[in-house]
């Protein structure tokens, strides 16, 4: 019996002697597993993906001409090809990422003008840079109007070509979609929010525009639509004017109707006879280029063929800048500006 007790004592002592080693082994194993998790998380962060909540890189967006662009990381070196697209980026707090701009001759809101004009201009005021100039700047993202992305000598390159050079790119939807409406501008911001991982800011901007537009539509509810002619310029003995495009939709939200909105193209040439027949009540003047808005107005007033047009007789003109009718944060402001001109009685 005494021997048995001694044996049990030795066994217990052995167990106690082994316990610290066993505990250390378990702790080491736990630390190894934790380190592996931390390493995996670090690698995930390094390649720009997210392991849990949020959008995950890589992802693909379809843009102009149904071309697909794959986004692999948050861009750091960005080219804005147009003032309104630069405005969108700056509104999202991304101005510090812009390394080059184009078309700086357009009017921007005061809150963004100084920042945008402080950026390097990489082309003259009437065009886009060549692909060679762009490649020398080593951007990882180009955002702009659709006119910047084609095989044309006046464009930079197609989205597919830029992808081949490892440059991500995107066209603002408003520039290429027939019948574009405010929802497409919202999608621009959602896309940019996803690309730059600033979804909260994008949602904030969109919600603000939605609220402003809803307030305007409520104010003009029950009014009759006003006939509107948008004069861009004289061309080929007639007028260059928008058809089924974003400007027409902005007018609709403001209680107006573009007298040429049924034309299938976004931009069209129409005869002066067609303008007379449509008899617009308001004429919207696009203010840009070498011909001033006042000169365009005088040209219309001097056109004897238009003398019986209601808007001409009443000299009812509204001047706008092009960025006001392009995709930007100013969509709500433009609709309100249109509504005040179309239905001033609702804003007294």
């Amino acid at each position: 019996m005494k021997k048995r007790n001694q044996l049990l004592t030795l066994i217990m002592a052995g167990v106690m002697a082994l316990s610290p080693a066993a505990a250390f082994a378990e702790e080491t194993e736990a630390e190894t597993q934790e380190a592996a998790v931390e390493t995996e998380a670090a690698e995930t962060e390094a390649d720009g993906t997210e392991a849990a909540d949020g959008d995950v890189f890589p992802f693909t967006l379809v843009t102009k001409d149904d071309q697909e662009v794959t986004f692999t990381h948050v861009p750091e070196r960005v080219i804005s090809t147009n003032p309104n697209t630069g405005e969108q980026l700056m509104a999202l707090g991304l101005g510090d990422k812009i390394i080059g701009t184009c078309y700086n001759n357009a009017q921007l809101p005061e809150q963004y003008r100084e920042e945008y004009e402080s950026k390097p201009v990489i082309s003259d005021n009437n065009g886009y840079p060549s692909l060679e100039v762009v490649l020398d700047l080593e951007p990882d993202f180009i955002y702009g109007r659709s006119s910047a992305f084609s095989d044309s000598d006046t464009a930079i390159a197609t989205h597919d070509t830029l992808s081949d050079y490892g440059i991500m790119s995107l066209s603002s939807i408003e520039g290429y979609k027939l019948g574009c409406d405010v929802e497409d501008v919202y999608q621009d911001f959602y896309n940019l929010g996803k690309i730059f991982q600033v979804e909260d800011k994008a949602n904030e901007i969109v919600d603000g525009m939605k609220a402003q537009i809803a307030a305007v539509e409520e104010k003009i509810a029950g009014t009759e639509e006003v006939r509107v002619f948008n004069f861009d310029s004289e061309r080929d003995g007639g007028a260059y004017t928008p058809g089924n495009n974003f400007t027409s939709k902005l007018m609709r939200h403001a209680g107006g109707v573009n007298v040429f909105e049924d034309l299938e193209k976004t931009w069209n040439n129409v005869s002066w006879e067609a303008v007379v027949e449509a008899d617009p009540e308001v004429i919207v003047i696009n203010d840009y280029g070498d011909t001033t808005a006042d000169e365009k107005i005088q040209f219309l007033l001097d056109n004897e063929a238009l003398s019986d047009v209601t808007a001409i007789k009443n000299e009812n003109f509204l001047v706008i800048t092009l960025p006001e009718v392009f995709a930007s944060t100013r969509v709500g402001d433009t609709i309100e500006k249109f509504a005040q001109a179309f239905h001033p009685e609702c804003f007294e």
Side-chain angles (χ1 to χ4, degrees):
M1 186 68 160
K2 183 177 180 180
K3 289 182 178 179
R4 182 184 177 192
N5 289 339
Q6 290 174 339
L7 180 60
L8 288 173
T9 300
L10 289 173
I11 293 174
M12 290 297 295
V15 170
M16 291 177 67
L18 288 172
S19 293
F24 177 79
E26 291 177 359
E27 182 178 348
T28 301
E29 182 179 359
E31 289 176 350
T32 301
Q33 292 174 346
E34 182 179 352
V37 171
E38 290 175 352
T39 300
E40 182 178 354
E43 291 173 349
T44 296
E45 183 178 354
D47 69 12
T49 61
E50 291 180 44
D53 297 334
D55 296 314
V56 179
F57 293 102
F59 62 85
T60 300
L61 294 176
V62 179
T63 188
K64 177 193 175 186
D65 296 330
D66 292 327
Q67 294 178 34
E68 296 183 352
V69 177
T70 298
F71 293 85
T72 58
H73 63 278
V74 174
E76 294 297 334
R77 296 179 56 81
V78 179
I79 290 176
S80 166
T81 69
N82 300 86
N84 68 295
T85 55
E87 183 181 332
Q88 287 179 291
L89 293 167
M90 290 184 290
L92 288 166
L94 305 170
D96 61 329
K97 294 177 181 285
I98 298 176
I99 62 169
T101 65
C102 315
Y103 283 102
N104 289 31
N105 59 340
Q107 302 92 328
L108 284 174
E110 186 175 347
Q111 68 196 99
Y112 301 120
R113 191 176 306 143
E114 183 177 354
E115 181 179 14
Y116 192 75
E117 292 179 352
S118 71
K119 304 298 180 181
V121 180
I122 59 175
S123 68
D124 62 41
N125 286 335
N126 297 308
Y128 297 116
S130 66
L131 177 59
E132 289 73 19
V133 169
V134 167
L135 294 177
D136 285 343
L137 293 171
E138 298 183 347
D140 56 358
F141 179 54
I142 303 176
Y143 180 57
R145 295 186 62 76
S146 57
S147 53
F149 304 104
S150 74
D151 286 324
S152 167
D153 291 338
T154 60
I156 298 173
T158 66
H159 293 289
D160 285 345
T161 297
L162 291 168
S163 293
D164 289 341
Y165 282 100
I167 301 172
M168 302 176 291
S169 61
L170 193 68
S171 288
S172 172
I173 300 169
E174 171 265 316
Y176 66 87
K177 180 178 177 181
L178 187 66
C180 170
D181 208 335
V182 293
E183 288 79 12
D184 297 299
V185 179
Y186 302 158
Q187 190 60 52
D188 268 353
F189 280 103
Y190 293 145
N191 287 342
L192 292 171
K194 183 176 184 179
I195 292 167
F196 288 93
Q197 293 294 283
V198 288
E199 290 93 339
D200 288 347
K201 185 61 177 177
N203 290 334
E204 177 187 326
I205 291 171
V206 170
D207 290 346
M209 288 192 289
K210 287 180 177 180
Q212 184 178 10
I213 294 169
V216 172
E217 291 178 334
E218 182 179 358
K219 188 165 287 191
I220 64 172
T223 59
E224 289 189 17
E225 288 180 333
V226 173
R227 300 186 306 279
V228 186
F229 167 53
N230 183 193
F231 179 58
D232 182 85
S233 59
E234 189 275 337
R235 184 177 294 189
D236 298 331
Y240 191 56
T241 188
N244 184 17
N245 79 345
F246 188 49
T247 302
S248 297
K249 295 299 189 294
L250 294 176
M251 291 178 180
R252 281 284 186 183
H253 288 287
V257 56
N258 174 14
V259 294
F260 295 112
E261 72 170 8
D262 290 337
L263 297 178
E264 292 186 1
K265 294 181 180 179
T266 54
W267 288 90
N268 309 265
N269 276 358
V270 298
S271 67
W272 294 119
E273 290 78 9
V275 175
V276 172
E277 184 178 353
D279 191 26
E281 300 166 89
V282 178
I283 297 178
V284 172
I285 305 292
N286 290 348
D287 183 15
Y288 76 98
D290 296 331
T291 305
T292 68
D294 287 340
E295 288 172 338
K296 290 181 180 182
I297 291 172
Q298 193 60 51
F299 171 81
L300 294 175
L301 291 173
D302 292 341
N303 189 335
E304 293 184 2
L306 304 178
S307 59
D308 289 331
V309 170
T310 300
I312 296 293
K313 289 190 293 186
N314 295 332
E315 296 191 14
N316 196 357
F317 300 100
L318 173 65
V319 176
I320 60 169
T321 63
L322 286 183
E324 289 181 277
V325 289
F326 290 165
S328 74
T329 58
R330 286 183 280 174
V331 167
D333 293 337
T334 301
I335 289 173
E336 187 167 353
K337 181 176 180 176
F338 278 163
Q340 289 175 345
F342 302 161
H343 303 284
E345 71 281 359
C346 296
F347 294 85
E348 294 174 351

